Amino acid sequence: MSDPQPPARGPLPAEAPDPLGLVQRRTMRVLVLMQIIGTVGVGVAPSIGVLLAGEVTQNEAWAGLARTASTLGAALLGLPLGNLAARRGRRVALATGWWTASAGAAILVAAAQWSLVVPLFIGLLLIGAGSAVSLQARFAATDLAEPHHKGRSLALVVWVGTIGSVLGPNLGVPGEIIHRATGLTVFAGAFLVAAACLGLAGVIVFLRLRPDPLLILQGSASSAALSPAPGGKKRAPIRRILAELRTNRPARFAMIAILSAQVVMVSIMTMTPVHLAHQGGSISIIGITISLHIAGMYALAPVVGFIVDRYGHRPSIGAGILIFGASATIGALRPGDTGWIMVSLFLLGVGWSFVNVAGSALFSRVVSAETRASSQGGVDALANLCGAVAAFAAGPLLAASSFPALSVLATAVLLPLTVLTVRRRHEAAA
């Protein structure tokens, strides 16, 4: 299936009198500012949220479930937020997601202060909405981008999320200040700061993302692409998505790439701290290792975006598969060497960056206007759900085997993607 042509840059809807290039630049400025502030709040969940889960539940099984609650929340809320974007535009959907996450962080203030188990789970589920809209923001960056700039636009929004990933886990510092000033616990103070950041991100995008890039894209699309299904009945969003994926081979390939990369990355990354701890690794060594992994995921994203735009989606996905393979090989051959494990985790992040950025840019390019926002939300929801399942499965797998076996088995998930990439190398670049 050939890629659909981008919408003609003809007359704009009344909502957007500015030229599309100016609107895209404004959109990128708003998304970057929103992403920097919002991801600070999101970054608190996998760090302080994990510690809070253990403190409140006092039970390892319940704590493990609580630690995946935010990922599960992102999975459950991804598709509804995508559908909301399809109906009301990016501005409303992104703001709603950030405000939902802010409400979750506020609930976690109470959970942390009074050690409440049920609010802990509810708050972590809701804060997952922040992860969902942070992912949705990368697609918003491509709505009006030129076809040869989609990779770079998407990668820039991914890259600025690094700031939140670094600052979020350190909200315990302002939490200490709030503790001394108000009497709130340190964890409660940290989530209070997170709630403020998440709420502010929603305010920024709601007030400043005008005109809405997705509404402009939909207004520029042909009436045929947005017409109801035959018989005069408009199919439900999920049915429209499934119908398109059955016939849209490039979109299906991109979805497989995104999901495969997520499963491989999460399954190995989640168990690496456990493996290092079993070897006697200190908290600081574990922290440095995960920081290097995050740097691999996000820090090189602009370079990856340039490579995607310059050399194409499939070669970039192929490069990511090779980097994943190098990471798994190191993990399998040198599991007892902490230095090499750090290298392996860094490469794991870089491999994820290549496959995810290339797959997301391809998906954004080839999906139809009718299902664009809903399909993007659905893919992100599936990615988060697959990540949650991978995190659950990786623990028993590591316990039953070894870290080298986990590395090899996780990377085996890439075999179908590898076959698809190689099989279609003779086709025109996507």
Side-chain angles (χ1 to χ4, degrees), residues 184-415:
L184 289 174
T185 67
V186 174
F187 289 162
F191 279 108
L192 184 63
V193 177
C197 290
L198 293 163
L200 179 58
V203 171
I204 289 171
V205 72
F206 187 78
L207 295 180
R208 303 298 297 172
L209 195 62
R210 300 172 183 268
D212 191 296
L214 183 59
L215 295 182
I216 293 176
L217 180 68
Q218 291 173 341
S220 301
S222 65
S223 58
L226 300 174
S227 60
K233 294 183 179 180
K234 192 172 183 179
R235 289 174 292 181
I238 293 180
R239 290 186 178 181
R240 294 203 305 272
I241 295 169
L242 294 176
E244 172 153 6
L245 289 175
R246 280 195 296 268
T247 57
N248 190 334
R249 292 176 64 191
R252 195 163 61 243
F253 171 72
M255 180 185 72
I256 292 171
I258 295 169
L259 300 186
S260 301
Q262 190 74 4
V263 169
V264 175
M265 185 274 292
V266 171
S267 57
I268 297 176
M269 180 271 292
T270 303
M271 289 299 105
T272 298
V274 178
H275 171 66
L276 290 175
H278 287 169
Q279 293 190 140
S282 66
I283 294 296
S284 60
I285 290 296
I286 293 172
I288 292 170
T289 303
I290 297 303
S291 294
L292 286 171
H293 170 67
I294 293 173
M297 290 175 65
Y298 298 117
L300 298 178
V303 177
V304 174
F306 173 81
I307 292 172
V308 171
D309 288 337
R310 177 67 178 83
Y311 297 103
H313 303 90
R314 290 183 186 280
S316 300
I317 290 173
I321 293 172
L322 292 176
I323 296 170
F324 268 136
S327 170
T329 300
I330 294 172
L333 297 180
R334 305 297 296 269
D337 191 319
T338 300
W340 279 110
I341 291 296
M342 288 181 177
V343 174
S344 175
L345 262 285
F346 176 75
L347 291 177
L348 181 73
V350 176
W352 177 89
S353 183
F354 267 88
V355 178
N356 184 271
V357 169
S360 298
L362 175 61
F363 192 84
S364 178
R365 177 179 173 182
V366 301
V367 73
S368 70
E370 181 186 10
T371 65
R372 180 180 178 83
S374 297
S375 296
Q376 291 165 343
V379 166
D380 285 340
L382 276 174
N384 280 300
L385 183 59
C386 289
V389 172
F392 273 120
L397 189 59
L398 179 65
S401 57
S402 63
F403 188 76
L406 174 65
S407 298
V408 173
L409 290 173
T411 311
V413 173
L414 294 170
L415 286 176

Side-chain angles (χ1 to χ4, degrees), residues 9 12-13 15-31 140-141 143-145 208-214 216-217:
R9 299 221 168 193
L12 297 176
E15 179 191 356
D18 300 333
L20 290 186
L22 294 177
V23 177
Q24 171 66 2
R25 286 193 288 274
R26 176 183 175 87
T27 297
M28 291 301 297
R29 288 196 297 269
V30 174
L31 291 177
D143 285 338
L144 297 179
R208 303 298 297 172
L209 195 62
R210 300 172 183 268
D212 191 296
L214 183 59
I216 293 176
L217 180 68

